[in-house]
Amino acid sequence: MPVPAFRKLFVLPVALFVGVISVATVARAQAPIQITADLSEAARKLYHAEIDIPVKPGPVTLITPEWIPGTHRPTPIVDSITGVVFTANGQVLSWRRDNVDMYEFHLTIPEGVATLHAHLDLINPGRQTTRLAAFEWEGLLLYPAGIPTAKIAIQPAVIVPKGWGVGTALTPGLTGSFASTDVHHFAPTTVEQLEDSPVITGLYYHQFALAPEISPKHFLDVVSDEPEDSKMRPSTIAEINNLVREANALYKSHHYNEYHLLLTLTDATGGQGLEHGQSSDNGVGEKDFSDDAHQLGVADLLSHEFTHSWNGKYRRPARLYQPDFATPQQGDLLWVYEGMTQYLGNVLAARSGLKNQQQYREMLALSAAQLDYKSGREWRSTEDTAIASSILRGGSASWSNWKRGQDYYQEGELLWLDADTLIRKLTDNKKSLNDFDAIFLGKGGNTGPLIVPYERPELIADLNQVVPYDWAKFLHDRIDLINPRADLAGIEQGGYKLVYEDTPSDAEKTLNKAGGRRANAIDVWYSIGLRVDKEGAVSDVRFHGPADKAKLSPGVKIYAVDGRVFSGDSLKAAIEAAKGSTEPIHLILEQDGFVTMADIDYHDGERYPTLVRVEGTPDYLDDITKPLTTPPATK
Ligand SMILES: [Zn+2]
């Protein structure tokens, strides 16, 4: 598509805070679109919308969002929009989809018509069960093309099953009740802000006011399939309170009028973590916060998505921000947007107690080892994983290690740890990345929801403000260049070393015990170089690793190991038996209906990553994960 003429107006110079449009001003400027989303048929995997759009006679093009912020790619939700009917003054109007842009609807508005009515259905919208529903507005939004979404006023309402609680950052208005449903009206906003304001609703709904001494207000809104889950454990609620206090102490500013951590607990649908300026849409399994073991697997979810309110929503990479949801977004700075958030999300989770310091270090080891053994780093830079973000999400596990995935998350975590420990080293621990974050994420002081774009030179200038250094080269070397090894400097400057031991770390054992995908895997990645499940199915082979040299392929199934029927135990026993020996590990395999044999020439035993302390060096890693605040004595 051609670049819309208004685009240049909205890519603001980095330091320029003028021209930012407040929601209230826009909402008064024109009659708002009225949209009512009906979530009352969530259990049947159907949502509906009734939309009234102010129009003038003549041709009109309406669009529905394509590039959804936070997903960093075009989202094919348009194929789930069904039952589209336009009416005006009681007459059905014909419409035609654009031949090229599947997100555009063309109509001609007759004379005498000032309001166009649209009905839409959304099928299989995502996370909904008989007890709860989550709703991201892009699935049912419709608005005129060619106008910045920050300039289109809209007034929302949602219909939910009677008695269900509603959690959202939208400003509440009137509510009404019908025989089997309730309707919740909200204050006018803009299309940009509405897209940024999801709604969760459920029969078992609890709202927790968080850290009441801090302004503005923060809430945790929880819905669950089972009544006991949304009550949450008192220890977890205390930790989430700590999270608000720690974020407040770290960022020293906020960019929301109030903030809602929205959380759905269900096993019936997949997980979710989508950031928004004044809320975050978090979805996990129904028992994921019910004990410490399960909680470890999701410990950084809330802190990651909350951090995005500052890093990603308020401060947005310039070309990742587009004034509509139609112009392609450019992801080259996602190692800041996601990478620094990955770092800060984990740090805040540790500072808040959602995981402990040892768990932080052991999880960091798992992540660093994975990157250090990622063969695709031989041909692809971290920046390329960010630029190519829109084509790297999901996909097959086959050779994914050679391909690389959205590595800018974890590469960014190591990069910002490197920067944090380097600042501490250069300043004798008097300054840290905390100082950079307060500058970079807090410019302009406290604000309501706002998007302020940036480019790389601003990061460099702000880092230099904390401590002078060749930060341009620092970032260039780590992001733009091909680096065959992961950036382990932050771990080492932090007083630790990445090592491989013959038993898994406590954190890895805990994650395996908690179940899920990991529990079905046998960790032999750092030894023979295979991703294999308990049935012997191989999903990936580490390029250049021992199993690769033995010509194993993703998709093969291991039947037998050293003459014994395959099991996790028999495979590990064979790896141990081959340690220090010259005899290879003998495998019998099935591939595409044929039986083959392979010998893996590997003799170094089992290997599991962890961090060990280097005595006599500064322990910055543990300084970084110490709380900045003291929880109230009542904890
Ligand atoms: Zn993120």
Side-chain angles (χ1 to χ4, degrees), residues 70 72 273-275 304-305 308 311 337-339 341-342 393 408-409:
H72 318 312
L274 187 58
E275 62 273 23
H304 179 108
E305 306 304 348
H308 271 316
N311 185 37
Y337 181 120
E338 292 294 0
T341 301
Q342 186 74 11
R393 191 173 284 258
Y408 51 84
Y409 281 84

Side-chain angles (χ1 to χ4, degrees), residues 478-557:
R478 287 156 181 78
I479 297 300
D480 308 334
L481 301 184
I482 304 276
N483 287 296
R485 296 291 307 274
D487 178 7
L488 303 178
I491 291 171
E492 285 159 18
Q493 285 158 182
Y496 284 83
K497 192 171 177 359
L498 177 65
V499 298
Y500 296 84
E501 297 183 336
D502 56 11
T503 53
S505 64
D506 289 348
E508 187 172 353
K509 282 185 204 151
T510 300
L511 291 171
N512 293 343
K513 199 175 72 184
R517 207 170 27 142
R518 273 194 77 92
N520 195 37
I522 297 158
D523 184 356
V524 290
W525 187 248
Y526 303 105
S527 52
I528 57 175
L530 281 182
R531 291 208 191 285
V532 56
D533 69 15
K534 286 185 170 163
E535 309 301 315
V538 172
S539 58
D540 199 11
V541 177
R542 178 155 58 76
F543 214 63
H544 303 330
D548 180 39
K549 291 188 178 123
K551 299 297 176 194
L552 265 72
S553 316
V556 302
K557 186 162 180 181

Side-chain angles (χ1 to χ4, degrees), residues 400-584:
S400 59
N401 184 257
W402 180 230
K403 178 183 171 185
R404 297 193 82 170
Q406 295 176 297
D407 289 0
Y408 51 84
Y409 281 84
Q410 276 131 330
E411 291 281 355
E413 179 175 29
L414 291 185
L415 168 91
W416 292 104
L417 173 64
D418 188 354
D420 197 346
T421 52
L422 179 59
I423 294 168
R424 288 170 193 264
K425 192 170 129 186
L426 293 170
T427 63
D428 197 23
N429 210 17
K430 289 187 176 59
K431 290 191 175 175
S432 70
L433 199 71
N434 299 355
D435 298 283
F436 167 78
D437 288 325
I439 297 168
F440 177 63
L441 302 174
K443 276 179 202 167
N446 295 329
T447 71
L450 201 61
I451 300 165
V452 182
Y454 64 88
E455 293 278 12
R456 193 189 290 203
E458 186 186 349
L459 300 170
I460 294 164
D462 290 355
L463 284 163
N464 271 312
Q465 200 180 320
V466 177
V467 59
Y469 189 73
D470 192 350
W471 291 109
K473 179 170 166 32
F474 175 93
L475 297 178
H476 170 71
D477 287 353
R478 287 156 181 78
I479 297 300
D480 308 334
L481 301 184
I482 304 276
N483 287 296
R485 296 291 307 274
D487 178 7
L488 303 178
I491 291 171
E492 285 159 18
Q493 285 158 182
Y496 284 83
K497 192 171 177 359
L498 177 65
V499 298
Y500 296 84
E501 297 183 336
D502 56 11
T503 53
S505 64
D506 289 348
E508 187 172 353
K509 282 185 204 151
T510 300
L511 291 171
N512 293 343
K513 199 175 72 184
R517 207 170 27 142
R518 273 194 77 92
N520 195 37
I522 297 158
D523 184 356
V524 290
W525 187 248
Y526 303 105
S527 52
I528 57 175
L530 281 182
R531 291 208 191 285
V532 56
D533 69 15
K534 286 185 170 163
E535 309 301 315
V538 172
S539 58
D540 199 11
V541 177
R542 178 155 58 76
F543 214 63
H544 303 330
D548 180 39
K549 291 188 178 123
K551 299 297 176 194
L552 265 72
S553 316
V556 302
K557 186 162 180 181
I558 307 175
Y559 269 130
V561 187
D562 283 352
R564 291 174 61 192
V565 171
F566 173 85
S567 69
D569 288 343
S570 65
L571 182 60
K572 286 180 178 179
I575 291 170
E576 273 309 295
K579 190 175 179 181
S581 136
T582 53
E583 188 68 16

